[in-house]
Amino acid sequence: MREITLSQAVNEALREEMRRDPTVFVLGEDVAEAGTPFKVLSGLVEEFGTARVIDTPISEPGFVGMAVGAAMTGARPVVDLMFGDFIYLVMDQLCNQAAKQHYMSGGKLTVPMVLRTNLGATRRSAAQHSQSLQALVAHIPGLKVALPSSAYEAKGLMKTAIRDNNPVVIFEDKLMYQDKAPVPEEEYLIPFGQANVLRQGADITLIGTSSMVQVALKAAVLLEKDGIEAEVIDPRTIVPLDEARLLESVRKTSRAIVIDEGHQSYGVTAEIASRLNEKAFYHLDAPVLRMGAMDVPVPFSPALEDLTVPTPEAVAANARKLCAGELIHAA
């Protein structure tokens, strides 16, 4: 099977969906000739023109509001939000309008809109361009939230998101755009709410999101050298969450670590760990451990920034302690 980058996979998904459905269009800052700062959308404007690949002013509340209105009146907009950190600017349009219109209209209106943005630190982009804010929107009923962990996931989840009649927020990790993975040439979709077991194991479950899936897989390799079999699961979407698949794994292994690049407190790790502790309590040999980013603004200094996010070595170290029967808690 061919291998393409995550960036190419997203581009290919958008291109295929825009060819399939004339109501799909893209809008955002520098999405046309520039193809975004990460060049993810390169070539789209040449094929579809400026009527469907629309460069907007630097006004995130304005163009996200436009997308909400367009979605309510028959279009399927894909909004490109240049950095995930800018999501603070569009919380009213996204969380008060897009997320609630179907409910407030008594089911008469839908908002089939995709907001694609990014997350992730260790790129030396400092505190205002390095945050992982998926927990903010996952808290809002009415929004779906997807976190692709590879090129394969990125393409399948994007195509599913565009066809969904609900607003979907997709977070792509900035550092993974050039990472390659096998991606079929034939069409495929990845259903929301279906986790992917990437590695089977019997001793501990490692649940990772987005870039932390790769961290979990590398940790599993380290643990294998110690005779510890780690099961690695990618939830793919945190809303909806494949709770059944996660519980099945934890009931088998009796131990779990949840890893996410968002801040540790009040985040994705807390929600998943809480559900596992509540619903698999009598199967656990230890409390579910959470490993998120430090509760600090992301530093610009490389030496400091690298300390703020979970690493394979840190995950493996905590897993060894859990498997040895040491009672530990998140730092």
Side-chain angles (χ1 to χ4, degrees):
M1 190 185 297
R2 64 172 184 159
E3 288 193 349
I4 61 175
T5 66
L6 192 149
S7 176
Q8 291 170 322
V10 173
N11 186 297
E12 198 170 84
L14 289 167
R15 196 179 297 271
E16 290 177 7
E17 290 304 299
M18 292 176 77
R19 290 170 181 164
R20 185 188 64 85
D21 184 349
T23 68
V24 178
F25 70 97
V26 176
L27 73 163
E29 298 159 356
D30 289 338
V31 298
E33 283 75 12
T36 78
F38 300 100
K39 306 304 178 186
V40 177
L41 306 186
S42 294
L44 289 185
V45 71
E46 284 80 6
E47 178 171 351
F48 300 102
T50 55
R52 294 182 68 193
V53 184
I54 305 169
D55 272 337
T56 65
I58 303 174
S59 177
E60 287 84 359
F63 65 75
V64 174
M66 290 169 57
V68 174
M72 290 168 60
T73 51
R76 290 186 177 271
V78 179
V79 180
D80 185 289
L81 197 62
M82 189 181 292
F83 284 91
D85 312 69
F86 301 165
I87 208 163
Y88 294 121
L89 298 169
V90 304
M91 290 299 278
D92 182 66
Q93 289 78 5
L94 184 63
C95 300
N96 262 343
Q97 307 305 327
K100 295 177 173 59
Q101 287 305 317
H102 186 65
Y103 172 76
M104 295 189 71
S105 68
K108 295 179 181 178
L109 296 174
T110 58
V111 187
M113 178 185 89
V114 177
L115 189 148
R116 62 166 293 269
T117 189
N118 48 55
L119 57 77
T122 68
R123 188 175 172 270
R124 319 313 179 205
S125 298
Q128 295 171 326
H129 294 78
S130 302
Q131 298 169 88
S132 299
L133 300 174
Q134 54 272 26
L136 286 182
V137 290
H139 185 68
I140 306 300
L143 298 178
K144 296 184 178 182
V145 185
L147 302 173
S149 62
S150 71
Y152 176 83
E153 310 291 335
K155 183 177 180 181
L157 290 171
M158 177 61 72
K159 290 172 72 72
T160 299
I162 292 171
R163 300 186 193 190
D164 200 299
N165 286 327
N166 299 282
V168 180
V169 185
I170 295 184
F171 289 89
E172 300 152 4
D173 187 272
K174 295 187 286 287
L175 286 179
M176 296 180 68
Y177 279 129
Q178 298 309 311
D179 290 358
K180 289 187 175 183
V183 177
E185 293 192 42
E186 60 272 15
E187 182 175 72
Y188 68 96
L189 283 78
I190 296 177
F192 287 173
Q194 290 190 14
N196 186 24
V197 180
L198 294 164
R199 182 180 176 124
Q200 296 282 346
D203 298 319
I204 189 168
T205 300
L206 304 179
I207 301 166
T209 64
S210 185
S211 57
M212 295 295 104
V213 172
Q214 302 306 318
V215 169
L217 286 169
K218 291 175 182 176
V221 173
L222 296 175
L223 292 168
E224 187 176 29
K225 297 175 183 177
D226 300 323
I228 297 172
E229 297 179 2
E231 184 149 296
V232 178
I233 303 182
D234 174 9
R236 290 174 164 165
T237 58
I238 54 174
V239 182
L241 181 69
D242 190 354
E243 189 178 276
R245 182 77 57 92
L246 303 184
L247 286 169
E248 179 184 6
S249 176
V250 172
R251 286 168 180 153
K252 177 180 70 173
T253 65
S254 301
R255 305 173 187 88
I257 300 177
V258 187
I259 316 147
D260 179 77
E261 201 170 338
H263 292 303
Q264 176 88 327
S265 296
Y266 308 101
V268 173
T269 59
E271 177 61 28
I272 296 177
S274 177
R275 295 194 194 192
L276 297 177
N277 279 322
E278 289 173 0
K279 299 180 180 181
F281 180 79
Y282 292 105
H283 297 266
L284 292 172
D285 289 338
V288 176
L289 185 69
R290 299 178 294 125
M291 294 185 69
M294 285 186 183
D295 293 329
V296 297
V298 178
F300 174 73
S301 163
L304 295 177
E305 184 180 21
D306 290 345
L307 297 175
T308 66
V309 296
T311 63
E313 293 76 17
V315 173
N318 281 335
R320 291 187 193 100
K321 291 178 182 178
L322 284 179
C323 291
E326 298 180 34
L327 185 62
I328 58 176
H329 57 82

